[in-house]
């Protein structure tokens, strides 16, 4: 399955990716805030979270790394980090907002990663997994740098809703629904599903040995 990179498609991808970078970087700042990191530490965590998943995706697809090709994304990640860092000193930010920003980053990057992969000529299955990896790897980098177990390995339906959403996005595109509309529906679906999974603690079965 291949999508031709039309100007409209590239414009949709640009804005989806920019939104993903901003909200993912914000989640990195909030997680770093729990650890009381200084400004430099916060910026590093934000950049790793906002740019890490997409960087790995682009290297695996053998394409120009998106934020090196267009530094707007790097600037957006940096700006997001500084704004949240300053805002946290001026207004009270509840800890639960970390989960909201994280869910938003997961949703937007899952769609962006899938779309990029389809435009690069990847098969539907590979493109869907690239969406998962794009959405989840930034959070994994963030949690490892914060010396914590990555949320994706134990939190309620994290990568699961991302993969389901990526497959749903591919299905909508396959049936010729407008790509932008498909991206909006899918992104909202992943975001809401993730928050519902957190709210009601819906998890996959965990591995355990028979006793």
């Amino acid at each position: 399955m291949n999508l031709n990179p039309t100007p409209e498609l590239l414009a949709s991808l640009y804005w989806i990716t920019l939104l993903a970078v901003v909200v993912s970087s914000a989640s990195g700042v909030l997680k770093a805030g729990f650890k009381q990191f200084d400004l430099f530490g916060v910026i590093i965590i934000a950049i790793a979270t906002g740019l890490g998943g997409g960087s790995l995706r682009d290297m695996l697809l053998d394409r120009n790394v998106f934020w090196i090709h267009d530094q707007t994304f790097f600037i957006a990640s940096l700006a997001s980090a500084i704004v949240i860092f300053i805002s946290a000193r001026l207004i009270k930010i509840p800890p639960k907002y970390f989960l909201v920003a994280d869910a938003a980053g997961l949703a937007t990057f899952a769609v962006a990663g899938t779309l990029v992969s389809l435009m690069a000529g990847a098969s539907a299955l590979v493109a869907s997994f690239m969406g998962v990896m794009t959405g989840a790897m930034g959070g994994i980098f963030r949690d490892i740098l914060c010396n914590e177990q990555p949320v994706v390995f134990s939190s309620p339906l994290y990568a699961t809703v991302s993969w389901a959403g990526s497959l749903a996005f591919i299905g909508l595109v396959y049936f010729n629904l407008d790509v932008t509309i498909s991206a909006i529906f899918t992104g909202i679906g992943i975001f809401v599903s993730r928050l519902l999974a957190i709210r009601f603690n819906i998890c996959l079965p965990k591995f355990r040995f028979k006793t």
Side-chain angles (χ1 to χ4, degrees), residues 18-155:
L18 188 62
L19 176 61
V21 167
V22 170
V23 294
S24 293
S25 298
S27 80
V29 174
L30 295 175
K31 174 57 77 71
F34 298 149
K35 298 292 185 177
Q36 299 291 297
F37 289 169
D38 64 13
L39 177 58
F40 180 77
V42 165
I43 289 174
I44 293 299
I45 299 297
I47 290 174
T49 310
L51 307 179
S55 299
L56 182 58
R57 173 204 66 207
D58 289 344
M59 288 186 284
L60 290 174
L61 291 174
D62 195 26
R63 63 191 300 271
N64 292 329
V65 176
F66 73 107
W67 59 273
I68 295 177
H69 180 69
D70 184 351
Q71 68 173 354
T72 302
F73 300 109
F74 181 82
I75 295 171
S77 179
L78 186 62
S80 178
I82 295 173
V83 168
I84 299 298
F85 182 88
I86 295 173
S87 298
R89 291 169 168 262
L90 302 175
I91 59 176
K92 184 176 181 180
I93 301 179
K96 66 180 180 180
Y97 282 13
F98 158 72
L99 295 174
V100 175
D102 186 58
L106 178 71
T108 47
F109 261 134
V111 173
T114 304
L115 182 54
V116 165
S117 302
L118 291 175
M119 290 169 59
S123 67
L125 183 61
V126 170
S128 68
F129 186 73
M130 284 292 182
V132 177
M133 190 184 66
T134 308
M137 282 306 299
I140 292 175
F141 293 147
R142 173 199 66 213
D143 295 341
I144 290 175
L145 290 172
C146 289
N147 196 30
E148 292 188 0
Q149 175 178 292
V151 172
V152 65
F153 298 144
S154 59
S155 186

Side-chain angles (χ1 to χ4, degrees), residues 106 110 114 128 131-133 135-136 157-167 190:
L106 178 71
T114 304
S128 68
V132 177
M133 190 184 66
L157 299 187
Y158 193 95
T160 308
V161 295
S162 176
W163 206 341
S166 295
L167 289 170
I190 295 173

